[in-house]
Amino acid sequence: MAAVQFSELARGLILVALAIMAVGWIIVRSVKNAENRGTMVFNWLLTAGLAAVIYFAVPLFGIFGLFLIVLSAVILSAIWTPHLGEIFAGPITGLFDGGHVPPEPRPAYSIAQGKQKRGQYLEAIADIRKQLERFPNDFEGHLLLAQIQAENLNDLPAAELTIQQLCAQPGHAPANITFALYSLADWHLKALDRDAARRAFEQVIRLLPDTEFALVAAQRIAHLANPDMPLNPHDQKFVVPEGIRHLGLLQRMEIPKLEEKAPGQQAADYVQHLRTHPLDTEAREHLAVIYADHYHRLDLAADQLEQMIQQPNQPHRLVVRWLNLLADLQIRCGAGYDTAKQTLERIIALAPNLAPAENARKRIALLRLELKGLEKSESVELGSYEQNIGLKQGRGSSERGASERGASERGA
């Protein structure tokens, strides 16, 4: 009998201890997660007092203790109803506002950017470095620091050191590494330093070989070899060649043509350029057009375009562009419907569900009309030029009408 009583007493003590531990854990967790911890501590103290009133109300006050119990229950309801509602509704509202999950800490550069706009560059750099101490691998912070060093303080060595430190860190996306090195190259070009810019582009190729970024970097290096290229890409301007002077004093038949480089010389220049820079897609594209339109050598033009199309890691948009250009040249050179259709079907095979594929399908549907229209335009004989001058030049008919009116006026 004594053993049974002892076991029941032990079981009761264990249950009480577990209940106390559970209540204590709830109290500690609620205080820890509360927005106002002082208010939460007060709520628990008040709850403990009201619980004591409820427990001793009837033994101490008899029937009048019931009123104290009801009053205590009303107060407890007012205190804990909002919290209980949050507990039960929290999983649903948390789907929209994240619940009690703390936000991911992120660096803030708004203060530094404000100081940069006010010309307080050194103070801005100090704020950025404080953020980088907490987030040493943050890409935005390193790039902003290098920008201030290069563009505001004209300290290119410091900017280059910042970019190199960024590139040495693991985990950065290839696009971010490329953007940082392109920015460094542009800063060097602005300082008229082509060699330093070339080194930045070569670093892209070295760090990211066999990628789209390496191909674009090789393209930029090829353009650096052109002395006519603007040193700063952002300062590139359209240059209008000087026209003919005293044009109004010249006779109509004496108007000379502006000097243009012959297609043969252009082709030779492109060939020579591509020997040094074989990845210059722009030059190879122009060479293909000259082969097709001037020399009528579709085979040579197709070979130039296929070299770019078959190059690994080419961007999808450029491959689509070159296939469309190949179809254009095939149509202009009279390769026929089937040949052009096969080229356009290659665009569809690349990505059947993308917009370029849909455009290719539409063009195939209208391809016979396109070929027919080209045949009609080519069937115009050279001897009929004067009779159909309105088809060749928009202002031909107006000029002929003006000459006829002038002749009638002289006759008058």
Side-chain angles (χ1 to χ4, degrees), residues 289-335:
V289 174
I290 294 176
Y291 279 155
D293 291 345
H294 180 68
Y295 292 104
H296 305 289
R297 291 294 303 272
L298 180 60
D299 56 337
L300 297 179
D303 176 68
Q304 296 298 319
L305 294 176
E306 288 292 350
Q307 289 186 48
M308 298 185 292
I309 293 170
Q310 301 300 330
Q311 177 72 31
N313 304 306
Q314 289 284 14
H316 180 267
R317 58 180 178 82
L318 292 182
V319 174
V320 171
R321 167 189 170 88
W322 294 326
L323 286 172
N324 275 310
L325 177 59
L326 178 57
D328 291 340
L329 299 182
Q330 289 169 342
I331 292 173
R332 296 209 293 260
C333 292

Side-chain angles (χ1 to χ4, degrees), residues 10 12 29 98 112 120 125 135 149 166 188 212 214 221 242 244 253 281 286 288 308 310 316-317 331 337 389 406-407:
R29 184 173 178 82
Q120 300 172 346
I125 288 178
F135 307 93
Q149 291 169 333
L166 172 66
H188 283 304
E212 173 187 346
I221 292 175
E242 183 180 0
I244 302 171
M253 300 302 297
T281 56
H286 290 320
M308 298 185 292
Q310 301 300 330
H316 180 267
R317 58 180 178 82
I331 292 173
Y337 172 82
I389 193 169

Side-chain angles (χ1 to χ4, degrees), residues 96-355:
F96 303 96
D97 59 12
H100 294 291
V101 178
E104 180 182 356
R106 296 181 58 84
Y109 299 107
S110 56
I111 297 177
Q113 290 171 337
K115 291 181 179 180
Q116 179 191 10
K117 293 179 181 179
R118 293 193 296 269
Q120 300 172 346
Y121 305 125
L122 297 179
E123 293 83 352
I125 288 178
D127 289 340
I128 295 172
R129 292 192 185 279
K130 289 180 181 178
Q131 295 295 324
L132 290 176
E133 289 177 0
R134 298 179 55 200
F135 307 93
N137 293 333
D138 183 64
F139 172 79
E140 182 184 359
H142 282 91
L143 192 63
L144 180 59
L145 174 60
Q147 178 189 6
I148 295 176
Q149 291 169 333
E151 298 181 0
N152 300 129
L153 298 179
N154 297 320
D155 190 354
L156 268 179
E160 183 164 5
L161 178 61
T162 301
I163 295 297
Q164 295 301 336
Q165 290 174 348
L166 172 66
C167 294
Q169 293 175 341
H172 289 296
N176 288 345
I177 294 293
T178 303
F179 183 80
L181 290 172
Y182 279 6
S183 299
L184 178 61
D186 290 341
W187 293 329
H188 283 304
L189 288 176
K190 189 175 181 180
L192 309 182
D193 192 346
R194 289 179 181 265
D195 293 334
R198 178 189 296 272
R199 289 195 299 271
F201 293 132
E202 290 173 347
Q203 187 173 358
V204 175
I205 300 175
R206 187 170 61 255
L207 293 177
L208 304 169
D210 301 326
T211 63
E212 173 187 346
F213 309 108
L215 295 175
V216 177
Q219 180 86 8
R220 295 288 300 270
I221 292 175
H223 285 184
L224 282 177
N226 183 4
D228 297 330
M229 175 192 146
L231 289 177
N232 185 2
H234 302 291
D235 294 338
Q236 186 172 0
K237 299 178 181 179
F238 293 100
V239 179
V240 180
E242 183 180 0
I244 302 171
R245 297 189 178 184
H246 311 298
L247 181 63
L249 301 178
L250 298 177
Q251 295 295 328
R252 181 173 177 271
M253 300 302 297
E254 296 176 356
I255 298 178
K257 294 183 179 180
L258 295 175
E259 293 186 3
E260 294 182 357
K261 188 178 292 187
Q265 183 60 46
Q266 292 181 20
D269 292 343
Y270 285 135
V271 170
Q272 183 64 32
H273 176 77
L274 288 170
R275 288 174 181 170
T276 308
H277 305 283
L279 296 179
D280 189 350
T281 56
E282 182 178 349
R284 196 173 295 278
E285 184 178 330
H286 290 320
L287 180 60
V289 174
I290 294 176
Y291 279 155
D293 291 345
H294 180 68
Y295 292 104
H296 305 289
R297 291 294 303 272
L298 180 60
D299 56 337
L300 297 179
D303 176 68
Q304 296 298 319
L305 294 176
E306 288 292 350
Q307 289 186 48
M308 298 185 292
I309 293 170
Q310 301 300 330
Q311 177 72 31
N313 304 306
Q314 289 284 14
H316 180 267
R317 58 180 178 82
L318 292 182
V319 174
V320 171
R321 167 189 170 88
W322 294 326
L323 286 172
N324 275 310
L325 177 59
L326 178 57
D328 291 340
L329 299 182
Q330 289 169 342
I331 292 173
R332 296 209 293 260
C333 292
Y337 172 82
D338 293 332
T339 303
K341 179 183 177 182
Q342 291 176 2
T343 301
L344 295 173
E345 287 176 343
R346 292 171 63 183
I347 299 177
I348 301 174
L350 288 175
N353 298 324
L354 296 183

